[in-house]
Amino acid sequence: DHLDLPSLRTLAERNPETLFYVPLGNASLLQDQGIENVQELDWGQTAVYKGVTVHCLPSQHWSKRSLTDDHEALWSSWAVTGAERRFYFAGDTGYFSGFEAIGRKLGPFDLVALPIGAYEPRAMMRESHMNPEEALLAAMDLQASRALAIHFGTFDLSDEPLGEPPLRFRHAARNSALGEEAAWVFDIGETREF
Protein backbone atom coordinates (compact mmCIF):
# COMPACT_ATOMS: atom_id res chain seq x y z
CA ASP A 1 0.00 0.00 0.00
CA HIS A 2 3.01 2.32 0.19
CA LEU A 3 4.05 1.91 -3.47
CA ASP A 4 7.49 0.70 -2.43
CA LEU A 5 9.61 1.18 -5.55
CA PRO A 6 12.44 -1.27 -4.68
CA SER A 7 9.85 -4.02 -4.14
CA LEU A 8 8.10 -3.19 -7.40
CA ARG A 9 11.43 -3.20 -9.29
CA THR A 10 12.21 -6.63 -7.87
CA LEU A 11 8.81 -7.96 -8.95
CA ALA A 12 9.29 -6.54 -12.46
CA GLU A 13 12.77 -8.07 -12.70
CA ARG A 14 11.44 -11.49 -11.64
CA ASN A 15 8.84 -11.38 -14.40
CA PRO A 16 9.05 -8.55 -16.97
CA GLU A 17 5.53 -9.45 -18.17
CA THR A 18 4.02 -8.48 -14.80
CA LEU A 19 1.37 -5.82 -15.34
CA PHE A 20 1.15 -3.14 -12.64
CA TYR A 21 -2.15 -1.32 -12.05
CA VAL A 22 -1.76 2.03 -10.31
CA PRO A 23 -4.03 4.99 -9.50
CA LEU A 24 -3.93 8.04 -11.80
CA GLY A 25 -0.70 10.02 -11.69
CA ASN A 26 1.47 7.14 -10.46
CA ALA A 27 2.63 5.47 -13.69
CA SER A 28 5.60 7.81 -14.12
CA LEU A 29 6.97 6.75 -10.70
CA LEU A 30 7.26 3.18 -11.93
CA GLN A 31 8.40 4.13 -15.41
CA ASP A 32 11.22 6.23 -13.93
CA GLN A 33 12.38 2.97 -12.27
CA GLY A 34 12.42 1.13 -15.61
CA ILE A 35 9.03 -0.53 -15.09
CA GLU A 36 7.17 -0.06 -18.36
CA ASN A 37 4.22 -2.45 -18.07
CA VAL A 38 1.97 -0.06 -16.12
CA GLN A 39 -1.69 0.87 -16.48
CA GLU A 40 -3.28 3.80 -14.64
CA LEU A 41 -6.90 3.66 -13.48
CA ASP A 42 -9.20 6.26 -11.98
CA TRP A 43 -11.70 5.51 -9.22
CA GLY A 44 -14.53 3.51 -10.73
CA GLN A 45 -12.49 2.26 -13.70
CA THR A 46 -11.86 -1.43 -14.29
CA ALA A 47 -9.51 -3.58 -16.32
CA VAL A 48 -9.95 -7.22 -17.27
CA TYR A 49 -6.88 -9.45 -17.02
CA LYS A 50 -6.83 -13.22 -17.53
CA GLY A 51 -10.46 -13.70 -16.57
CA VAL A 52 -10.59 -11.43 -13.54
CA THR A 53 -11.68 -7.83 -13.23
CA VAL A 54 -9.47 -5.33 -11.41
CA HIS A 55 -11.46 -2.44 -9.89
CA CYS A 56 -9.84 0.85 -8.86
CA LEU A 57 -11.88 2.13 -5.92
CA PRO A 58 -11.94 5.05 -3.49
CA SER A 59 -10.27 5.13 -0.11
CA GLN A 60 -9.92 7.87 2.48
CA HIS A 61 -6.29 8.86 2.48
CA TRP A 62 -3.90 11.16 0.60
CA SER A 63 -0.87 10.95 -1.64
CA LYS A 64 2.59 12.41 -1.18
CA ARG A 65 6.06 11.32 -2.30
CA SER A 66 8.02 14.43 -1.31
CA LEU A 67 7.60 17.69 0.60
CA THR A 68 5.90 19.53 -2.27
CA ASP A 69 3.60 17.06 -4.05
CA ASP A 70 0.54 16.69 -1.80
CA HIS A 71 -2.45 15.20 -3.67
CA GLU A 72 -0.77 15.35 -7.10
CA ALA A 73 -1.51 11.66 -7.67
CA LEU A 74 -4.53 9.56 -6.80
CA TRP A 75 -4.66 7.01 -3.95
CA SER A 76 -7.04 4.06 -4.05
CA SER A 77 -8.28 0.73 -2.81
CA TRP A 78 -8.66 -2.27 -5.12
CA ALA A 79 -10.96 -5.21 -5.74
CA VAL A 80 -10.22 -8.25 -7.84
CA THR A 81 -13.32 -10.17 -8.85
CA GLY A 82 -13.63 -13.39 -10.78
CA ALA A 83 -16.05 -16.20 -11.38
CA GLU A 84 -15.04 -18.03 -8.20
CA ARG A 85 -13.54 -15.48 -5.78
CA ARG A 86 -13.91 -11.83 -4.78
CA PHE A 87 -11.03 -10.04 -3.00
CA TYR A 88 -10.76 -6.48 -1.68
CA PHE A 89 -7.55 -4.67 -0.69
CA ALA A 90 -8.05 -1.43 1.26
CA GLY A 91 -4.47 -0.16 1.37
CA ASP A 92 -4.09 2.86 3.65
CA THR A 93 -7.43 4.33 4.59
CA GLY A 94 -9.52 5.80 7.32
CA TYR A 95 -12.99 4.40 7.97
CA PHE A 96 -15.52 5.97 5.61
CA SER A 97 -18.95 5.41 4.04
CA GLY A 98 -17.32 4.18 0.83
CA PHE A 99 -16.91 0.71 2.33
CA GLU A 100 -20.66 0.25 2.48
CA ALA A 101 -21.08 1.52 -1.10
CA ILE A 102 -18.33 -0.83 -2.34
CA GLY A 103 -19.93 -3.74 -0.47
CA ARG A 104 -23.33 -3.04 -2.01
CA LYS A 105 -21.89 -2.76 -5.53
CA LEU A 106 -19.23 -5.51 -5.55
CA GLY A 107 -19.80 -7.65 -2.48
CA PRO A 108 -19.99 -10.01 -0.89
CA PHE A 109 -16.23 -10.55 -0.69
CA ASP A 110 -14.56 -13.85 0.13
CA LEU A 111 -11.59 -12.02 1.66
CA VAL A 112 -10.83 -8.40 2.50
CA ALA A 113 -7.40 -7.05 3.52
CA LEU A 114 -7.82 -4.14 5.93
CA PRO A 115 -5.31 -1.90 7.74
CA ILE A 116 -5.41 -2.11 11.53
CA GLY A 117 -2.37 -0.06 12.66
CA ALA A 118 -0.99 3.49 12.88
CA TYR A 119 -4.16 4.86 14.52
CA GLU A 120 -2.95 6.85 17.57
CA PRO A 121 -3.41 9.68 18.36
CA ARG A 122 -6.96 9.39 16.98
CA ALA A 123 -7.41 13.14 16.51
CA MET A 124 -4.53 13.13 14.03
CA MET A 125 -4.85 9.66 12.48
CA ARG A 126 -8.62 9.16 12.21
CA GLU A 127 -8.94 10.55 8.68
CA SER A 128 -6.24 8.33 7.16
CA HIS A 129 -5.88 5.19 9.33
CA MET A 130 -8.50 2.88 10.83
CA ASN A 131 -8.18 1.37 14.26
CA PRO A 132 -8.85 -2.39 14.63
CA GLU A 133 -12.49 -1.92 15.61
CA GLU A 134 -13.13 0.28 12.57
CA ALA A 135 -11.46 -2.35 10.37
CA LEU A 136 -14.04 -4.88 11.61
CA LEU A 137 -16.83 -2.40 10.84
CA ALA A 138 -15.38 -2.01 7.34
CA ALA A 139 -15.36 -5.81 6.92
CA MET A 140 -19.05 -5.87 7.80
CA ASP A 141 -19.77 -2.98 5.39
CA LEU A 142 -17.91 -4.85 2.63
CA GLN A 143 -19.95 -8.03 3.32
CA ALA A 144 -16.75 -10.00 3.95
CA SER A 145 -16.60 -13.71 4.76
CA ARG A 146 -13.01 -13.29 6.01
CA ALA A 147 -10.86 -10.30 6.97
CA LEU A 148 -7.05 -10.21 6.88
CA ALA A 149 -5.29 -7.69 9.12
CA ILE A 150 -2.60 -5.63 7.34
CA HIS A 151 -0.63 -2.41 7.95
CA PHE A 152 0.65 -3.02 11.49
CA GLY A 153 3.74 -4.06 13.41
CA THR A 154 6.39 -3.31 10.77
CA PHE A 155 7.16 0.39 11.24
CA ASP A 156 6.69 2.39 14.44
CA LEU A 157 4.62 5.16 12.83
CA SER A 158 2.29 6.18 15.62
CA ASP A 159 1.66 6.15 19.35
CA GLU A 160 0.02 2.75 19.94
CA PRO A 161 2.28 -0.13 21.05
CA LEU A 162 3.39 -2.26 18.06
CA GLY A 163 1.75 -5.40 19.46
CA GLU A 164 -1.61 -3.80 20.26
CA PRO A 165 -3.37 -3.76 16.83
CA PRO A 166 -3.63 -7.55 16.32
CA LEU A 167 -4.82 -8.08 19.91
CA ARG A 168 -7.55 -5.46 19.50
CA PHE A 169 -8.47 -6.85 16.06
CA ARG A 170 -8.93 -10.38 17.42
CA HIS A 171 -10.89 -9.08 20.41
CA ALA A 172 -13.17 -6.98 18.19
CA ALA A 173 -13.70 -9.97 15.86
CA ARG A 174 -14.65 -12.18 18.79
CA ASN A 175 -17.46 -9.75 19.54
CA SER A 176 -18.59 -9.27 15.93
CA ALA A 177 -20.73 -11.14 13.41
CA LEU A 178 -17.52 -12.08 11.56
CA GLY A 179 -16.11 -14.08 14.48
CA GLU A 180 -12.52 -14.74 15.49
CA GLU A 181 -11.99 -17.70 13.09
CA ALA A 182 -12.68 -15.45 10.09
CA ALA A 183 -10.44 -12.60 11.34
CA TRP A 184 -6.96 -13.49 10.17
CA VAL A 185 -3.69 -12.17 11.59
CA PHE A 186 -0.79 -13.82 9.75
CA ASP A 187 2.68 -14.54 11.00
CA ILE A 188 5.45 -13.35 8.66
CA GLY A 189 5.50 -15.68 5.66
CA GLU A 190 2.25 -17.44 6.57
CA THR A 191 -0.18 -18.43 3.84
CA ARG A 192 -3.73 -19.80 3.90
CA GLU A 193 -6.13 -21.01 1.27
CA PHE A 194 -9.56 -19.47 1.03
Side-chain angles (χ1 to χ4, degrees):
D1 62 281
H2 287 198
L3 198 63
D4 183 66
L5 295 172
S7 296
L8 297 177
R9 269 195 320 272
T10 299
L11 291 171
E13 289 165 4
R14 285 184 185 171
N15 183 355
E17 294 181 22
T18 300
L19 176 57
F20 293 86
Y21 294 102
V22 297
L24 286 180
N26 287 286
S28 61
L29 287 170
L30 280 70
Q31 291 163 342
D32 290 347
Q33 299 294 311
I35 303 169
E36 295 299 325
N37 203 8
V38 182
Q39 183 177 343
E40 287 185 332
L41 296 175
D42 195 357
W43 289 351
Q45 287 186 312
T46 61
V48 177
Y49 182 78
K50 295 187 178 185
V52 299
T53 303
V54 177
H55 306 259
C56 182
L57 300 164
S59 65
Q60 182 174 288
H61 204 59
W62 43 270
S63 67
K64 182 179 184 129
R65 302 298 289 183
S66 70
L67 293 175
T68 60
D69 66 348
D70 288 16
H71 307 297
E72 288 187 13
L74 191 63
W75 54 95
S76 67
S77 64
W78 299 90
V80 179
T81 59
E84 296 181 21
R85 297 279 191 264
R86 304 178 83 70
F87 171 70
Y88 175 80
F89 178 81
D92 266 351
T93 185
Y95 180 75
F96 74 122
S97 62
F99 292 123
E100 189 174 1
I102 292 165
R104 275 195 316 270
K105 183 175 180 181
L106 297 173
F109 288 98
D110 298 290
L111 178 64
V112 296
L114 299 167
I116 66 166
Y119 50 80
E120 291 293 343
R122 289 310 291 149
M124 184 173 102
M125 298 298 212
R126 177 180 312 279
E127 294 301 312
S128 56
H129 294 132
M130 292 190 283
N131 66 30
E133 294 79 15
E134 290 168 331
L136 261 294
L137 290 174
M140 298 295 98
D141 291 348
L142 291 160
Q143 303 173 39
S145 297
R146 294 168 201 86
L148 172 64
I150 63 170
H151 196 271
F152 70 95
T154 304
F155 302 106
D156 194 2
L157 300 174
S158 57
D159 290 348
E160 78 270 4
L162 283 175
E164 180 180 276
L167 297 175
R168 283 179 57 176
F169 182 69
R170 286 184 177 117
H171 179 72
R174 216 174 290 130
N175 299 312
S176 77
L178 190 63
E180 193 172 8
E181 289 296 313
W184 294 353
V185 178
F186 283 6
D187 291 327
I188 295 172
E190 182 178 352
T191 61
R192 295 185 193 177
E193 290 187 18
F194 73 97

